[in-house]
Every structure is written in structure tokens, then in C-alpha cells.
Amino acid sequence: MKNQNMKQFQSCQLLSNLCVLTMYQELTGPCRLLKDIKTSKYNVPLPWIAYNEKDVQNIFNEDKIKKKFRLVKDSEDSYVQIVFSKWSLNGTWQGFVNGMKVLAVCKEMEFLTDLRFTVDYENKCAVSPQDFLSERTTEFYDIYLKYRLSNETYIYPIPILNLNYKIGNKFPNKYGDKSQWQLTHRMFVFENPNDFNIEAKTNIAPTTIRYLKSAALSIRVKKGPEEGLINTPLLILSYGEFNKEDVQNNRKKTFSFKVQFSMKSNVKRNMDIGLGILCSASVIWSLIRAWAYTRRSGQRPIDLIAVLHVCIIACGHLANVFFFVISITALHAFVYYKWQAVAHVLLPSARLQYLVRTYVIVSFPLKAFEIFVLIWHHVTVDIFLIDWEQPRAQKQTIFDVSAWRTYFVANKWGEIQTVRKTSVLLQLCLVVFVLKVCGLEHWSLNIPELHTSPNHEAKHASEDRVFRFALSVVVYVGVYLIQWILFSGIYERYIKNSIQEFVDICSLANISLFVLALENYGFYVHGRLIKSIRVHEKLRKPFENRFRKTSAHGFSDTDMATLRKQLRREEEDLVRHRGLVPESDHQTFQILIPTKLRGIYKSLLTNLPHELSRFNITNLKKGNKSVSGSGDHTMQAYVTVNRFLAAFIEHALKDLDYEVRDRLFIEALLDIELHDSKVKGIFFNDNGHSFDNVLYYGNELSLFTFNLIFFCFVEIIAQNYLLAAILTGLCDEAIARIRKYCSRKNFAKKALIDENFLL
């Protein structure tokens, strides 16, 4: 009786296996026979190989798995254990197989035993018919989840979604409507035709071989009060075929395996909220900047040019917003995943990876356009060097003013065009060193731990693109901040400050810098040298007060001893302050010039003879240099513009004047000017280096974000840190060279200086 029951059991298992081979076709064959036996009067226990339709509706919402998983390394709770119940073709049970080796069609997957909780895995390989025919027989498996709870071991069946299941001409399992799914419980990996030969000695060449083409294990993790728990996993299978030609040629085909954890996430919703708020703020800020631009340019508040400029400004701001939001999102995913003990977030989804890639790619051209416009403004500014030096008479000999001081200041101006607060070359070298040499690039592996060198588990882990992006941003910004702090706090303060040096050189050379960045807006560096006087210590204060009320001119065309004596006098506070206003040290200003001044200045450069007939030169203060008798048009224009601007600075023009004042709080906060300068100009006291707005130095944030976005843009496309660093360095150097070349051309043209003397 026992043997009879065993044979009956094996026969039912054999019939079930044949049903699995037919992909559960119920209308004909073994599956039809199983259905008839089930509905017959015979009380025969049949194998459970498929779920009822009613079970499909609720199976994924059941709370039968009470096991709480954690992310503590080397803990049993941090692994998902899978076991397979193995059956031979004739229905004999062959025991349990632990781990995922059953699905390890590829040799690269042989390491898979237990699955690390929250760690996705994906692998592809090429398999040939001989790989199956020589080593495998047709075997069948039921899959279970194995876990321990309260010192007891449980196994829970995992449903299978066979994408090859067919009803009529439809494949219901390929669609997202779960109510139409047919879940099963048994599967096979490979169908070996030799197992079906009746005669053992018969060697029939197989015409078709079915094999497992893809397998994906999907595990949904709960969150909130049920964090650490999981829903019922789902194994999704798809089968392919080797035809007769494939078998004869031993042609290889692709097999793919994937383990994916999922969780309900609000990342996309939070990103949309952040983008909505920040994009709105950036548009408002762009409108404010465009309004300031139109006022400084002397244009009407609302016209087509103003609207166009709003769009131009918005490009850079939107690039910053896109990159900032996606960086925060990626950094949030990286930090939470790497430092969590209980699963609050999972590995970034394919959707998030797509969003990161898309927003970085979109940010790059927007930022590049902003840099192009920025450099275009820099290389088209109106600029002039006002020479305050006067001819001197010694022993009945008149010494003309030397031009070398002007060229010295001009070349110094050219040197600081691309000076920045950090070194891009050092920045990129340190970033590559930290990522590649120190091994921080391994932090981007899709495992919860941080490794600087891959261990056994890390060797089989793959890099996550979102984590690579987050790591790029963190390391790049971290290195930049350290470099900026050291440069600003130590190098500039104790070693060299190129911007302040330029202001000092202007004072030593007795030359002022006049820059118009826009039509009516610009910058002024006061470099007029004041003659020092020798006084006794007891009489220092009275003489100093009297001297500060005078306007005696100093001389810069002198010998080294006199120049050093003047510097020493300044250190001892025995000379007048350098500032434009008495009793002040303010040398740098943001300026709003009258509209009439702008018109005269432009005419002097473009139509000198006509302007000379209109402008009364006698209004200039007495004692200024006379026009050179060389008759050269450029030289005449230079001397005339120099006298005109010097007279304006000295308040010597009858109808053109200005006032010096501090900015209002709202003006300083929004970087706008609320006062009208159509009739009378305004010189605003600044922070000592506002003129660097037309240099690299004053646009460090824009240049830094451009370098960062370009670095991430190359890295996210090529997935190579070294290549990203090389291309970023080459791009920055190319832009700097173009910037210097164009600035040199513009300076020679606008400042009326011979380009041959510019280095």
C-alpha cells in the first residue's frame, strides 16, 4: 500500500512537471488531465503548482511574513535566504537547495548564496546549448523564503510570474493588470531533450531547446511603522529557445538575472516641490537682476531687450536650481542608505537614475550659456586708465611724463583677468587623488557599508550611478571649500592678494582705472598719488590736517629711493589718505554716471574732431597736460579722454558732477541702484574690490559651479573620474586663454593703448 501511494505520488508529480513544461496550458495535455483529476470523484492529493485566481488579489498585501530585516553587517537579519525544493522529471523529490545557485546559469553568479537585504543585483551573460546539454538535466523547483523567528525556522512560498503563460492569443502575465495574472509555484531552468528519449542508446539531435532567458526576483520593503518587514516576494521568469540552427552552431544567447528591492517613495514628489519653489524664486530673482540691468543700461524698463535679458539671466539661475535639487536628492539617497540600520530608503530606482542623468545634462548647456554671456560682457567693457602724472621742471629742464607706468598698470590688469580664488589644476588633482588613490570611489558601490578597497562582497557589487554622482559632488565641493578657506584665510592675507596689489600699483603709478561694464554703470579705482611731506613728530598733527585740505599732486616718475621713502611715509601715516574723499581710504567705487557723460565719452572715442567743436575744453581745470603735437588721431583721443575723465573726477566740469555716498541697505542686499543718475552721477563706496565683477575673481561662484557641472556632466556620461578631470581642466584652460586674448584686444581698443606693449 505504501509503495502504491508512493508511485501515485510520483505519478502526480510527473504529471505536474509535464504541465510546467507546457507553460500551464489548461486546455490540452497534462494540465487538462490534472484539472480533470481535481474535479473527479477520486480523492487524490495533487501537487500545488499554481495559485487560485482569488489568491492573486490579496497575496501581495498579506502580512504573513513577520520577519524584520536589518542592515547590520554580518547579522543573520541582514540577509534574505532563498531555498528551492528540487524535483526530478519523474517526480522524485531530491531535497532542498539553499541559495540562488539554482538560477546561476552564468559562472559569474556562482557566489550567490543568500541575498543581502536592500542590495540590488544584476548580471548578464552569454550561454550556449552545450552549456546545458553537457552539464544539466531537466529539473523542477519550488521556491521558498526561509527565515528564523523566535528560534524557529519558517519557509514561505514565493509565487512565480511566468511571462510565457498564454491564454488563447494573449499573454496576460506581461501586462500590469494583476487581476489577470496567473501565478504559479513551480519552474524549470532548462529542458534537456535527451531526458525524453525512450531508448537510452538513441542519440537524437534536438531541434528545439527551451531555457530560462531571464529571471527577476522582486522584493517590496515596507516603511513607516512596519519598517524592516517585506511583502510577499515575486519571481518573474521568461523563457527562450535554441532552434536547430542554434544547436548545430552552438550559438550563444543572453541570460539575465536581477534582484530588485522596492519601496514606496516620495522622492519624485519632493523633487517636484523643491524645483517648483526654487524655480519660482529664481524667476523672481532673474526679474530683479534684469530690472537692475535695464536701469544700468539706460533702457526702458519693459521692452523686448529686457524680456530677452530675463531669459538670459534665468538660464544660469535655472541651471543652478536643477543641479542643486538633484544634488541634494542624490546626497540624501547616499547618506541615508549608507548610514541606516533599518531600511528607510533603498537604492536609487531606475527612475531616479534617469532624473539625475537628465537634469545634469540639461544643466550643462544652460550653465555654459551663462558663462558665455559672462565672458562676452567682460571682453566688451569700456575701460580707460586715467594718468594723473604731471610734467616736472628741474633746473630749467622739463621732464615729460613717462608712458611706461601706464603700460605697467595695463599689463598688471591683464595678469589678473583670470586670477581666481582657487586653483583649478590643484582642485582637479586633489579630487582625482581622493577618489582614485584614496579609494573613495568604492563608496559608490550598492552595498550599505563604506569600503576604500573592495572585499569579497564588494568585488561582486556594482557601482550605483546616483551614488557616483553624489560622491563626485561631495568630494569636489569638499576639496573646493578647503582650498578656498586656506586661500582666503592664509594665502591672501599673509602671502599675496592680487586684487589689492593692483589697487596699490595704481596708487604707486599715479593712475586711476575707469571701467564701464554697462551703458551707465561701472567701476572706478582711484589711484591718484599724493605727495608726502616731512614733519616733526610734534608738528605732525597740525601739518597733517593742513595737508589734507590741500590737493597737491605727487609724482610717480621718480627714482627708487624716493618711491621707497614715500611708501615709508605712508606706513608712518605722514601722508594724506589714498581715498577719493578727504579723510577716507576708499579707493574703489561702483559708479552710476550721467547720461550726458556717457554720450560725450563715446563721442570722444568715435568722433574726436566733431566732439572737440562741441565740448568746451576750457572748462577743464588748469594745469592739465596739453595735447601732444604729434597730430596722431589716437594720441589726441587718448589725451583728450584722459583730460576729460580727470576733470570729471576733480569736479571740474560745469554741467557734469557726481556725489560719493554709501548704498542703502536694500540696494546692497539686492545689488541694485534706486537713485536716478541721469543728471548727477553717484559713486558708491564698496567693499574694496567691486571692480573684480569684470574679472574672474569676482565671479568665482559662477565659474566654480560651471566647473562642477561640467565635471559631473562628463562623469555621468563616461563613468570615468579621470577623464572628467582631464576634460574639465582642458576646458577651463581653453576658456581662460580665449578670455585673456579677447580682453587684451578690447583693452588696446578701448583704452587707446598700443597692443604691441601688452604682454
Side-chain angles (χ1 to χ4, degrees):
M1 185 68 179
K2 184 176 180 180
N3 292 334
Q4 184 178 359
N5 291 337
M6 182 60 68
K7 288 183 179 180
Q8 189 180 53
F9 175 79
Q10 287 187 353
S11 299
C12 291
Q13 294 293 343
L14 171 61
L15 190 61
S16 299
N17 293 339
L18 295 176
C19 178
V20 173
L21 290 174
T22 63
M23 299 298 173
Y24 298 93
Q25 297 297 317
E26 296 183 353
L27 298 180
T28 59
C31 296
R32 179 66 180 178
L33 183 57
L34 277 175
K35 188 174 182 180
D36 292 341
I37 295 175
K38 185 176 181 180
T39 57
S40 67
K41 61 181 180 179
Y42 301 103
N43 187 16
V44 179
L46 297 177
W48 176 46
I49 61 173
Y51 288 79
N52 295 327
E53 294 181 0
K54 296 181 180 180
D55 296 337
V56 177
Q57 302 294 331
N58 302 318
I59 189 172
F60 298 109
N61 297 322
E62 293 178 343
D63 296 328
K64 293 184 177 181
I65 304 176
K66 303 299 182 181
K67 172 71 174 181
K68 277 199 172 185
F69 295 91
R70 298 173 58 84
L71 281 80
V72 180
K73 187 179 180 182
D74 299 328
S75 171
E76 183 181 344
D77 296 340
S78 64
Y79 291 91
V80 178
Q81 301 181 43
I82 303 295
V83 296
F84 289 86
S85 178
K86 183 177 179 181
W87 302 87
S88 64
L89 177 61
N90 62 8
T92 303
W93 185 63
Q94 298 182 343
F96 286 105
V97 179
N98 293 320
M100 303 297 294
K101 290 186 177 181
V102 168
L103 301 178
V105 176
C106 309
K107 293 183 179 180
E108 296 86 348
M109 294 169 50
E110 292 180 354
F111 74 94
L112 282 176
T113 53
D114 297 329
L115 304 176
R116 186 71 187 276
F117 184 57
T118 74
V119 176
D120 293 348
Y121 176 81
E122 185 173 3
N123 193 16
K124 292 182 179 180
C125 66
V127 293
S128 65
Q130 291 301 323
D131 294 336
F132 295 107
L133 293 173
S134 60
E135 299 180 4
R136 288 180 176 265
T137 59
T138 306
E139 295 171 333
F140 300 85
Y141 304 92
D142 302 331
I143 182 171
Y144 297 90
L145 171 68
K146 179 182 177 182
Y147 60 92
R148 289 182 60 83
L149 192 64
S150 300
N151 296 325
E152 294 186 5
T153 302
Y154 297 84
I155 59 172
Y156 185 83
I158 296 177
I160 297 173
L161 184 67
N162 189 340
L163 300 182
N164 294 79
Y165 175 72
K166 184 178 181 181
I167 298 180
N169 296 324
K170 296 182 179 180
F171 295 88
N173 288 352
K174 291 185 178 181
Y175 303 102
D177 186 3
K178 293 183 180 181
S179 62
Q180 302 297 321
W181 284 0
Q182 174 59 65
L183 299 180
T184 58
H185 187 54
R186 185 164 294 185
M187 56 165 287
F188 68 96
V189 176
F190 167 69
E191 179 186 13
N192 192 334
N194 295 329
D195 294 337
F196 299 91
N197 291 340
I198 299 176
E199 297 293 339
K201 296 182 180 180
T202 304
N203 188 13
I204 303 176
T207 57
T208 301
I209 300 177
R210 288 186 298 178
Y211 74 103
L212 185 61
K213 183 174 65 174
S214 67
L217 181 62
S218 176
I219 303 176
R220 189 167 183 83
V221 183
K222 298 181 180 181
K223 63 184 305 184
E226 299 179 320
E227 59 187 13
L229 297 176
I230 63 173
N231 291 113
T232 302
L234 177 66
L235 181 63
I236 304 173
L237 304 179
S238 177
Y239 291 90
E241 292 182 350
F242 290 106
N243 56 32
K244 185 176 182 179
E245 184 179 353
D246 295 332
V247 175
Q248 291 175 350
N249 298 326
N250 198 31
R251 185 175 298 162
K252 292 186 176 183
K253 291 192 176 183
T254 302
F255 167 77
S256 64
F257 174 73
K258 179 169 65 174
V259 177
Q260 185 175 20
F261 291 84
S262 62
M263 177 188 289
K264 185 178 180 180
S265 175
N266 296 323
V267 172
K268 182 62 170 62
R269 174 176 170 271
N270 295 337
M271 280 184 56
D272 292 340
I273 293 174
L275 285 172
I277 295 174
L278 293 180
C279 284
S280 300
S282 69
V283 170
I284 295 174
W285 181 245
S286 299
L287 291 173
I288 295 175
R289 301 312 314 142
W291 178 53
Y293 178 87
T294 55
R295 287 180 59 86
R296 293 170 176 178
S297 301
Q299 300 172 358
R300 294 181 179 179
I302 301 177
D303 57 7
L304 183 60
I305 297 178
V307 174
L308 179 62
H309 198 73
V310 170
C311 298
I312 293 174
I313 294 176
C315 285
H317 294 158
L318 289 176
N320 294 336
V321 167
F322 292 159
F323 192 81
F324 175 77
V325 171
I326 207 67
S327 298
I328 294 298
T329 303
L331 186 60
H332 173 271
F334 175 78
V335 172
Y336 267 74
Y337 183 78
K338 292 292 184 178
W339 276 275
Q340 63 184 350
V342 180
H344 299 286
V345 298
L346 299 181
L347 286 170
S349 62
R351 175 65 175 169
L352 180 56
Q353 293 184 10
Y354 170 79
L355 290 175
V356 169
R357 179 183 175 88
T358 300
Y359 277 111
V360 171
I361 292 176
V362 170
S363 298
F364 172 66
L366 293 176
K367 196 66 182 180
F369 182 69
E370 180 197 12
I371 296 300
F372 171 79
V373 174
L374 176 70
I375 292 178
W376 174 258
H377 281 306
H378 285 184
V379 300
T380 56
V381 298
D382 289 327
I383 186 170
F384 195 83
L385 297 179
I386 305 173
D387 191 351
W388 298 99
E389 194 75 5
Q390 302 296 316
R392 289 186 297 167
Q394 292 183 358
K395 298 180 181 181
Q396 298 181 351
T397 302
I398 298 177
F399 295 91
D400 292 331
V401 175
S402 172
W404 291 111
R405 294 172 300 100
T406 302
Y407 286 112
F408 179 72
V409 174
N411 284 310
K412 188 63 179 179
W413 176 256
E415 288 180 10
I416 65 174
Q417 289 297 303
T418 55
V419 170
R420 291 183 56 176
K421 297 181 180 180
T422 57
S423 169
V424 176
L425 179 60
L426 179 61
Q427 169 79 25
L428 295 173
C429 289
L430 289 176
V431 168
V432 173
F433 176 81
V434 171
L435 290 172
K436 303 292 290 186
V437 180
C438 297
L440 262 67
E441 64 175 340
H442 298 300
W443 286 12
S444 62
L445 296 175
N446 59 351
I447 55 177
E449 292 77 33
L450 298 175
H451 297 282
T452 55
S453 59
N455 56 13
H456 175 72
E457 182 181 9
K459 285 181 179 179
H460 301 288
S462 60
E463 290 185 330
D464 187 89
R465 293 194 172 189
V466 176
F467 288 173
R468 281 184 65 93
F469 169 72
L471 200 59
S472 301
V473 174
V474 169
V475 173
Y476 198 100
V477 173
V479 171
Y480 177 84
L481 289 177
I482 293 173
Q483 190 182 177
W484 182 82
I485 291 172
L486 293 176
F487 183 85
S488 302
I490 298 177
Y491 184 82
E492 281 193 331
R493 179 170 296 184
Y494 300 107
I495 301 177
K496 182 179 181 180
N497 188 327
S498 299
I499 303 302
Q500 184 58 46
E501 278 188 359
F502 176 77
V503 177
D504 295 338
I505 288 173
C506 287
S507 295
L508 291 176
N510 205 13
I511 289 176
S512 296
L513 176 71
F514 185 83
V515 180
L516 289 180
L518 295 174
E519 193 72 14
N520 298 328
Y521 172 81
F523 309 95
Y524 175 69
V525 178
H526 188 63
R528 191 172 186 179
L529 182 66
I530 302 302
K531 183 179 180 181
S532 63
I533 59 175
R534 179 181 298 177
V535 295
H536 192 272
E537 185 67 25
K538 294 182 179 180
L539 301 177
R540 174 182 170 185
K541 202 67 177 180
F543 271 84
E544 184 177 302
N545 293 335
R546 180 183 177 185
F547 175 75
R548 285 173 178 168
K549 295 179 181 178
T550 66
S551 58
H553 294 179
F555 295 98
S556 184
D557 280 338
T558 185
D559 55 75
M560 183 62 69
T562 304
L563 188 61
R564 295 184 65 180
K565 183 186 296 184
Q566 290 178 349
L567 292 175
R568 187 166 57 252
R569 291 288 182 185
E570 185 175 8
E571 289 179 358
E572 297 172 355
D573 199 19
L574 297 178
V575 298
R576 182 183 175 185
H577 291 276
R578 290 184 179 184
L580 175 63
V581 179
E583 306 295 334
S584 171
D585 285 322
H586 283 295
Q587 290 182 263
T588 59
F589 304 87
Q590 297 183 49
I591 61 176
L592 285 177
I593 63 173
T595 305
K596 183 178 179 181
L597 176 69
R598 176 63 180 182
I600 295 174
Y601 176 74
K602 186 181 295 185
S603 298
L604 287 174
L605 295 178
T606 58
N607 192 13
L608 179 63
H610 175 68
E611 188 57 38
L612 283 174
S613 63
R614 295 179 56 194
F615 182 70
N616 189 2
I617 301 295
T618 60
N619 288 335
L620 301 180
K621 180 171 280 192
K622 295 180 180 180
N624 286 338
K625 297 180 291 183
S626 61
V627 179
S628 174
S630 63
D632 181 75
H633 181 78
T634 302
M635 192 60 203
Q636 283 185 342
Y638 171 79
V639 174
T640 305
V641 172
N642 190 82
R643 294 170 62 189
F644 170 68
L645 293 179
F648 173 70
I649 298 299
E650 289 188 311
H651 303 278
L653 299 180
K654 182 178 180 181
D655 299 328
L656 294 174
D657 202 0
Y658 67 93
E659 62 176 338
V660 179
R661 55 176 301 171
D662 292 325
R663 278 189 161 195
L664 300 176
F665 173 76
I666 190 66
E667 290 179 324
L669 179 65
L670 300 179
D671 190 24
I672 59 175
E673 294 78 32
L674 301 177
H675 297 83
D676 190 4
S677 64
K678 291 183 179 179
V679 178
K680 190 175 184 179
I682 304 175
F683 280 38
F684 294 100
N685 293 315
D686 67 0
N687 55 7
H689 53 83
S690 63
F691 66 93
D692 61 16
N693 283 332
V694 294
L695 304 173
Y696 264 18
Y697 191 89
N699 297 274
E700 179 65 26
L701 181 60
S702 296
L703 295 170
F704 159 69
T705 52
F706 172 72
N707 292 145
L708 174 58
I709 291 175
F710 184 77
F711 179 86
C712 294
F713 171 77
V714 176
E715 195 283 325
I716 209 166
I717 291 178
Q719 296 291 289
N720 190 313
Y721 290 123
L722 183 59
L723 178 63
I726 292 174
L727 292 183
T728 302
L730 292 176
C731 177
D732 182 79
E733 181 64 22
I735 294 175
R737 288 180 178 270
I738 295 173
R739 166 76 168 76
K740 271 193 170 184
Y741 175 80
C742 295
S743 295
R744 185 170 178 267
K745 291 287 185 181
N746 180 70
F747 191 91
K749 177 182 178 182
K750 301 292 180 63
L752 304 176
I753 291 179
D754 194 337
E755 187 180 352
N756 294 322
F757 294 97
L758 298 179
L759 302 179

